[in-house]
């Protein structure tokens, strides 16, 4: 299940985000959205996390939504697939 993670502090590193979700089960990827600057990613405040087991993903949403990470209250929710949209482009 694809998860959206919002309200992430700019100081959060990829490894911190990954570790937080791996505590809930297997994670295939965690991608901080942001811009690269000298091989560092400057977070824009959100990320995408893919948890292949739906039960673990639902548990992660229930457990991690609203938790504090570096002073920011995270928003964790399942990604909603929009019909007719592929890769950000309307079909």
């Amino acid at each position: 299940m694809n998860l959206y993670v919002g309200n992430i502090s700019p100081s959060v590193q990829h490894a911190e985000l990954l570790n937080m979700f791996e505590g809930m089960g297997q994670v295939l990827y965690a991608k901080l959205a942001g811009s690269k600057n000298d091989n560092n990613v400057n977070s824009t405040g959100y990320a995408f996390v893919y948890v292949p087991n739906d039960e673990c993903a639902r548990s992660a949403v229930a457990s991690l939504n609203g938790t504090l990470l570096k002073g920011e209250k995270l928003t964790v929710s399942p990604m909603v697939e929009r019909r007719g949209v592929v890769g950000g482009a309307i079909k």
Side-chain angles (χ1 to χ4, degrees):
M1 178 183 294
N2 283 310
L3 302 177
Y4 167 83
V5 185
N7 203 38
I8 299 173
S9 168
S11 65
V12 170
Q13 300 295 311
H14 177 264
E16 294 170 297
L17 182 69
L18 188 59
N19 288 337
M20 177 180 252
F21 279 87
E22 283 180 334
M24 306 302 299
Q26 179 188 18
V27 174
L28 287 186
Y29 69 81
K31 180 168 177 25
L32 279 168
S35 59
K36 280 193 170 185
N37 182 6
D38 297 330
N39 295 324
N40 294 318
V41 175
N42 297 321
S43 173
T44 55
Y46 66 98
F48 302 102
V49 177
Y50 184 76
V51 179
N53 181 297
D54 285 352
E55 186 176 320
C56 289
R58 283 190 289 276
S59 179
V61 169
S63 298
L64 299 175
N65 186 44
T67 60
L68 289 176
L69 179 61
K70 293 201 173 181
E72 299 292 342
K73 191 174 182 180
L74 297 179
T75 301
V76 181
S77 61
M79 287 197 45
V80 178
E81 292 190 29
R82 298 183 334 190
R83 294 176 68 176
V85 177
V86 177
I90 297 176
K91 246 175 116 173

